[in-house]
Amino acid sequence: MEGSEAVPRVGVVVFVIKENTVLLGKRRSSIGDSTFAAPGGHLEFGESWEECAARELKEETGLDIDNIEFLTVTNNILLEEAKPSHYVTIFMRTIMADPCQIPQTLEPNKCDGWDWYHWNDLPKPLFRPLETLVLSGFNPFPAPEI
Ligand code: 8DG
Ligand code: MG
Ligand code: MG
């Protein structure tokens, strides 16, 4: 449930990694409409970041995950959006419990559909917080073992 006061909110976003691709979908929202973003949502009272990421992913895609880890956090002041917003965004990484599982579009009013994208061939336009992260040089893939 989203409140209406102008306060910073906590968003938890999850990069689902499948081989060398990541899951993104085109948003339907008053924040970042028609831009590509990862699954995620608002941290609920009493929830860990891991619980939130797993819950949002399940609600939005039906996917079950195997392990989940914290990647990074960014501060996103989104005053140009239809709904001016400020998010502290927690980025997590996970893999699917069953690599053959197909993501479903379970909230079609919020996302046009999910697909897998290579990090060096991401769809455009990206949701601003994601674009900022990419432009900073960040990448969510595990470092190769030496
Ligand atoms: P909920 O009611 O299910 O909790 O919320 P939601 O409708 O799923 O929220 P959301 O907009 O998908 O995610 C919450 C916020 O997280 C979003 O408004 C801004 C922030 N956020 C980012 N980057 C990303 C991203 O890549 N994906 C998603 N889903 N949210 C992001 O800063
Ligand atoms: Mg959600
Ligand atoms: Mg969402």
Side-chain angles (χ1 to χ4, degrees):
M1 217 14 204
E2 222 175 318
S4 57
E5 325 95 276
V7 295
R9 299 184 185 282
V10 179
V12 177
V13 175
V14 56
F15 290 119
V16 184
I17 304 287
K18 183 185 176 190
E19 295 168 353
N20 53 359
T21 64
V22 67
L23 189 68
L24 300 177
K26 193 189 270 186
R27 288 172 67 79
R28 287 287 162 228
S29 171
S30 52
I31 309 170
D33 191 49
S34 296
T35 65
F36 287 86
H42 299 92
L43 186 69
E44 292 185 355
F45 187 86
E47 219 174 23
S48 71
W49 299 344
E50 289 81 2
E51 287 166 345
C52 179
R55 174 184 56 74
E56 285 289 342
L57 187 67
K58 185 76 179 168
E59 288 172 1
E60 298 183 359
T61 70
L63 294 177
D64 295 309
I65 60 180
D66 202 14
N67 76 327
I68 184 149
E69 55 195 315
F70 170 74
L71 286 180
T72 192
V73 57
T74 63
N75 189 39
N76 299 288
I77 299 163
L78 307 169
L79 301 183
E80 311 304 318
E81 297 294 337
K83 181 181 175 192
S85 309
H86 179 178
Y87 279 95
V88 172
T89 307
I90 314 292
F91 289 92
M92 310 291 287
R93 167 172 73 199
T94 193
I95 54 171
M96 290 185 287
D98 170 4
C100 297
Q101 222 189 329
I102 308 281
Q104 299 165 259
T105 309
L106 296 182
E107 294 181 345
N109 57 326
K110 290 188 177 182
C111 175
D112 278 357
W114 303 107
D115 212 342
W116 302 99
Y117 297 92
H118 290 266
W119 195 252
N120 58 5
D121 191 19
L122 293 171
K124 287 190 180 102
L126 288 175
F127 186 28
R128 183 62 63 81
L130 188 52
E131 184 183 47
T132 305
L133 187 70
V134 172
L135 290 175
S136 77
F138 186 86
N139 115 40
F141 293 87
E145 286 172 35
I146 299 166

